[in-house]
Amino acid sequence: MNVNFDIQEKQAQPTKPPKPVIKTKDLDFAYGDSQALFNISMDIFKKEVTAFIGPSGCGKSTLLRCFNRMNDLINSANIKKGTIRISDIDIYNKDVDVIELRKHVGMVFQKSNPFPKSIYENIAYGMRIQGVKKRSELDETVESSLRGAALWDEVKDRLNKSALGLSGGQQQRLCIARTLAVKPKIILMDEPCSALDPVATAKVEELIHKLKKNYTIVVVTHNMQQAARVSDRTAFFYLGRLVEYETTEQIFMNPKNSKTEAYVSGRFG
Amino acid sequence: MESDNQQQRAHIFSRRFSLNKFLEISTTFVLRFFTYLIIVLAGYLFWDIAYKGSKVIFISEAPFINVQFLTEKPQTLHVFEPVDIDSQLKAAKADILSKSIQRKALSNSNIEEANAYTLAIKELNEEIKLLDIQRKERRLLFSDSEFRNLSETPSDDDYVYNTYAYSGGGIGPAIIGTTLLVFGSILIALTLGVLCAIYLSEYSRPGKVLQSIRLSILNLSGVPSIVFGLFGFGLFVLYLDWGVSLIAGWFTLALMALPVIITASEESMRAIPKGFREGSLALGATKWTCIRTNVLPYAMPGILTSSIMGIARVAGETAPIMFTAAFALRDRLPWEGLEQSTDFFFQGVMALPYHIYVVSSKIPQNEYTQSMQYGTAFVFLLIVGMFALSSIILRVKVRKKYDW
């Protein structure tokens, strides 16, 4: 591959520097023998929406799952080199409790995965496993989370009905609400709208806009219009390398790398 | 000209004979034949046991079920047969014997006379049939307990008196024993099997060790049941000195059922969508919390149904319990005459499969043992059928509840 992936020079240089919360440095990541990420260095900034774009298999989901160590579940997956620091703590250090990390860094998955319980129990699940038993506290959190995910008005009358009766878009927002209930600071979204119709997608995007005020959000998406609509910064990945990471405006209006330009204008990918 | 005409009428799509078509038709026929053959055989088996067994279980008067047979202990049957009919029967049988010998001697020389003997034998046989019906009407049958309660026994002048072991009473202790064995072994096998399956499906890392564990579980399911029986006898009965006891039977049966339960449980757990686990872990659950709250509850129906099926099959085994838990005859029920509560686990019990084995191969056969044999087999079939049915009902009900 004769493409010049010059990463370091194209690091984001924002005019008014916000605070970075996730600092990735020289990250090499591999599933067994096949390396998935090469030398990734990027900072993700507080209370911004960062979008990861790129063709399938380019490593964007892998990187996302590194941020809350979901890759630990895969036996052969391991970090070969480099560090990820969240709030200046190396999250792959031995003294890091994965449980605490995942409470801090919530995740919403590509396929909405509500548990086959009632809507209420779905939201309360995260609290219950932490040992919260007080009904009033649970009620309060369930309501605030559902309101936070803009779902309260739609489901307030049927909290005890099965979550599987909701529509696809509602299910995905329920999953977001479920994540909010454990009060994370960062929310990772792995193609949250890929299974949704345009109307539901619009609602989720609206929600992302709203959540930005209080949370740092990282979104993986295949949909470039979506990246353009919701994100403040966009990172373009290709073949496991970070090709370009800039403000969204820059990436879509004035990409520096020819690959990025080709991808965002739909000429390949 | 005739054939010419026919050829003209034939078109490109007209039917022609070919080897492939012949093979196709004959294959279909063979497949159908063997399938129906199996159904017929199974049907005959069930019908035979159900027909002959229901004669014992169901009676014509209220409450229409032979409560005595289902609750009482096996007893000796005391039979009084009317003396006049008995002597007539004996005479007729002796007559047949002598006539058939004479016929044999004559069969080469005087055919006419031989034919006359044949006819006479036929008539005698008819007579015996009639006498037999009378005998069945007039004979008196008493089980052991009834016999002991009789104020006076029928007089020797009117009746011929005989006793037959195992042919009276019922199979109550065997039903209770089998039930105890099944529930105990379900409990042990489920606990061990589910724990093992959780480890294998959720915690273990793929590799040589896991492969060899899987292989050994697979091999365990291929071990003949008599070997399990001997193993249980050696380990539980002799080495651990539990004696022939319920608890030894439980563990032996549980060991036999383990491979099925482990495999089924692993399968059920693997069928739980990955999303449930990821969703739970991403909310900050520990692995065990995730399994406890989001894997096991949804896998449990599958685990239970397949396990019940596994146990039901194992419960029908005679070999593993004949060395470890079953008594041919025990006149106490398991809760009778216990000195300490722990004695409950260290006593042998009667069991249906072993009882069938005893009454059909270990005692002299006669007309009175048959009802015991078929009755026991029918009850046993019903009990095993009930297990299978309950597992099916459970599956259907739970599938409605957890539908994802």
Side-chain angles (χ1 to χ4, degrees):
Chain A
M1 192 62 58
N2 237 347
V3 187
N4 181 21
F5 295 110
D6 200 353
I7 294 146
Q8 302 300 344
E9 288 170 22
K10 292 177 181 121
Q11 278 292 352
Q13 297 292 324
T15 45
K16 184 181 73 181
K19 208 178 138 206
V21 278
I22 306 178
K23 288 187 202 163
T24 311
K25 204 154 186 300
D26 304 329
L27 184 73
D28 276 8
F29 182 88
Y31 295 108
D33 290 336
S34 68
Q35 194 162 345
L37 295 174
F38 299 87
N39 205 24
I40 306 283
S41 292
M42 68 187 298
D43 291 348
I44 285 163
F45 297 96
K46 199 172 183 181
K47 294 186 180 175
E48 281 192 358
V49 178
T50 308
F52 289 0
I53 60 170
S56 299
C58 68
K60 53 196 189 311
S61 288
T62 302
L63 179 61
L64 192 76
R65 294 166 75 95
C66 281
F67 292 155
N68 67 346
R69 289 183 59 174
M70 283 306 269
N71 282 329
D72 290 11
L73 305 179
I74 301 159
N75 286 324
S76 58
N78 69 309
I79 286 187
K80 287 184 148 177
K81 183 165 82 67
T83 55
I84 299 174
R85 303 177 80 83
I86 292 179
S87 307
D88 274 332
I89 299 156
D90 181 1
I91 59 166
Y92 281 87
N93 206 328
K94 280 214 173 74
D95 64 356
V96 167
D97 186 351
V98 183
I99 308 301
E100 294 302 323
L101 171 70
R102 288 187 189 144
K103 279 187 223 161
H104 188 88
V105 186
M107 187 161 201
V108 176
F109 295 88
Q110 175 173 12
K111 194 167 169 287
S112 64
N113 53 354
F115 307 134
K117 306 178 197 278
S118 70
I119 295 169
Y120 184 95
E121 285 303 322
N122 259 284
I123 311 286
Y125 180 83
M127 315 264 301
R128 280 197 202 279
I129 59 176
Q130 287 171 38
V132 178
K133 288 209 177 72
K134 242 167 77 188
R135 189 77 194 182
S136 58
E137 199 179 333
L138 288 174
D139 284 346
E140 206 173 291
T141 312
V142 168
E143 180 170 347
S144 66
S145 309
L146 282 171
R147 279 192 196 283
L151 196 61
W152 175 252
D153 293 326
E154 291 163 57
V155 301
K156 65 183 172 197
D157 301 323
R158 46 170 173 156
L159 287 176
N160 291 319
K161 295 270 166 59
S162 168
L164 301 175
L166 297 174
S167 72
Q170 285 173 328
Q171 282 189 9
Q172 194 58 288
R173 276 181 288 148
L174 181 79
C175 291
I176 295 174
R178 193 172 70 186
T179 309
L180 297 182
V182 292
K183 304 189 172 66
K185 297 285 179 296
I186 302 164
I187 300 175
L188 311 173
M189 298 187 180
D190 192 353
E191 299 178 36
C193 302
S194 65
L196 304 183
D197 65 62
V199 178
T201 302
K203 281 200 172 157
V204 173
E205 284 176 7
E206 204 178 301
L207 177 61
I208 293 173
H209 252 297
K210 214 181 87 186
L211 291 174
K212 197 171 82 173
K213 289 188 199 96
N214 300 315
Y215 304 91
T216 307
I217 295 172
V218 186
V219 178
V220 165
T221 178
H222 268 133
N223 181 335
M224 274 169 286
Q225 283 73 36
Q226 186 173 59
R229 282 193 298 262
V230 300
S231 67
D232 301 307
R233 277 163 212 278
T234 301
F236 172 59
F237 290 83
Y238 186 63
L239 296 174
R241 289 169 207 275
L242 178 62
V243 178
E244 194 164 354
Y245 178 40
E246 271 296 346
T247 59
T248 302
E249 219 176 62
Q250 275 270 313
I251 290 272
F252 283 92
M253 297 304 182
N254 192 14
K256 290 185 182 131
N257 192 297
S258 56
K259 276 274 171 197
T260 316
E261 196 196 349
Y263 187 74
V264 297
S265 57
R267 269 183 277 137
F268 95 103
Chain B
M1 286 312 281
E2 188 79 25
S3 66
D4 245 335
N5 264 342
Q6 266 174 8
Q7 261 177 7
Q8 272 176 3
R9 255 183 272 134
H11 52 81
I12 51 167
F13 300 126
S14 62
R15 289 175 187 278
R16 285 180 192 82
F17 176 81
S18 81
L19 189 65
N20 267 339
K21 268 182 217 161
F22 173 73
L23 274 178
E24 173 69 31
I25 291 165
S26 47
T27 314
T28 317
F29 182 78
V30 168
L31 294 177
R32 184 181 295 160
F33 173 77
F34 280 108
T35 311
Y36 288 168
L37 187 72
I38 291 167
I39 293 169
V40 166
L41 286 177
Y44 177 71
L45 181 94
F46 284 116
W47 184 83
D48 187 51
I49 292 176
Y51 177 72
K52 290 181 181 157
S54 53
K55 275 192 205 163
V56 183
I57 306 296
F58 301 110
I59 48 177
S60 54
E61 303 129 41
F64 303 108
I65 287 172
N66 194 342
V67 179
Q68 193 192 17
F69 183 74
L70 294 179
T71 54
E72 267 186 14
K73 296 156 192 169
Q75 290 164 5
T76 302
L77 190 69
H78 299 256
V79 179
F80 292 91
E81 281 171 356
V83 94
D84 49 333
I85 291 180
D86 196 57
S87 54
Q88 280 179 52
L89 269 173
K90 273 182 185 151
K93 276 175 188 165
D95 210 10
I96 287 180
L97 197 64
S98 70
K99 284 214 165 80
S100 57
I101 290 168
Q102 286 175 35
R103 184 185 60 177
K104 217 171 203 172
L106 286 169
S107 61
N108 288 330
S109 53
N110 193 337
I111 290 169
E112 268 179 35
E113 223 170 304
N115 280 345
Y117 276 120
T118 310
L119 247 141
I121 288 171
K122 240 183 199 168
E123 276 167 21
L124 278 171
N125 269 329
E126 297 284 311
E127 196 191 324
I128 284 176
K129 258 185 203 163
L130 288 173
L131 282 171
D132 209 44
I133 292 168
Q134 281 184 47
R135 184 181 64 97
K136 276 181 181 158
E137 276 168 6
R138 285 176 51 198
R139 72 178 173 200
L140 301 172
L141 301 176
F142 299 107
S143 69
D144 227 8
S145 53
E146 286 168 339
F147 182 70
R148 266 185 253 130
N149 289 334
L150 283 181
S151 51
E152 53 176 324
T153 52
S155 73
D156 280 356
D157 302 335
D158 300 337
Y159 290 102
V160 181
Y161 171 53
N162 270 315
T163 58
Y164 300 98
Y166 285 101
S167 301
I171 52 168
I175 296 176
I176 290 165
T178 288
T179 315
L180 282 176
L181 278 174
V182 168
F183 278 107
S185 51
I186 280 187
L187 217 66
I188 292 169
L190 265 187
T191 318
L192 288 177
V194 170
L195 291 182
C196 178
I198 290 174
Y199 177 75
L200 286 179
S201 92
E202 307 290 325
Y203 286 95
S204 63
R205 281 160 182 268
K208 282 258 158 60
V209 181
L210 189 68
Q211 266 177 16
S212 57
I213 291 176
R214 288 244 160 79
L215 196 68
S216 53
I217 289 172
L218 206 71
N219 282 334
L220 200 63
S221 66
V223 173
S225 56
I226 188 79
V227 176
F228 271 105
L230 284 173
F231 170 76
F233 183 66
L235 179 63
F236 302 125
V237 178
L238 297 181
Y239 183 70
L240 294 176
D241 202 20
W242 289 348
V244 173
S245 59
L246 257 185
I247 192 166
W250 284 345
F251 276 98
T252 312
L253 286 179
L255 273 183
M256 258 196 92
L258 265 185
V260 178
I261 291 182
I262 293 173
T263 319
S265 309
E266 243 195 293
E267 214 96 304
S268 317
M269 271 187 260
R270 223 172 293 148
I272 305 297
K274 211 170 110 205
F276 288 11
R277 293 187 181 90
E278 284 185 337
S280 162
L281 289 174
L283 290 173
T286 60
K287 201 157 185 177
W288 172 239
T289 313
C290 164
I291 294 167
R292 189 168 50 80
T293 57
N294 251 346
V295 179
L296 272 186
Y298 309 124
M300 218 49 192
I303 294 174
L304 279 183
T305 46
S306 356
S307 302
I308 291 173
M309 289 297 257
I311 287 284
R313 225 179 28 242
V314 167
E317 291 281 359
T318 318
I321 56 169
M322 65 192 283
F323 298 123
T324 55
F327 282 164
L329 184 66
R330 189 166 193 263
D331 57 353
R332 272 190 196 151
L333 289 175
W335 48 83
E336 285 172 355
L338 296 178
E339 285 170 21
Q340 293 168 300
S341 54
T342 50
D343 284 353
F344 180 80
F345 302 105
F346 295 100
Q347 58 178 347
V349 288
M350 291 187 66
L352 287 169
Y354 190 60
H355 189 64
I356 294 174
Y357 167 69
V358 169
V359 294
S360 53
S361 69
K362 288 282 155 185
I363 56 169
Q365 302 296 300
N366 55 57
E367 57 179 310
Y368 301 105
T369 47
Q370 217 192 31
S371 69
M372 179 58 92
Q373 290 157 6
Y374 275 102
T376 314
F378 185 50
V379 169
F380 190 37
L381 207 65
L382 284 182
I383 289 179
V384 173
M386 245 148 59
F387 269 109
L389 194 70
S390 70
S391 89
I392 291 168
I393 291 172
L394 197 71
R395 187 178 311 177
V396 171
K397 274 204 167 168
V398 170
R399 197 169 280 169
K400 262 185 218 152
K401 196 170 153 200
Y402 296 120
D403 198 15
W404 63 80

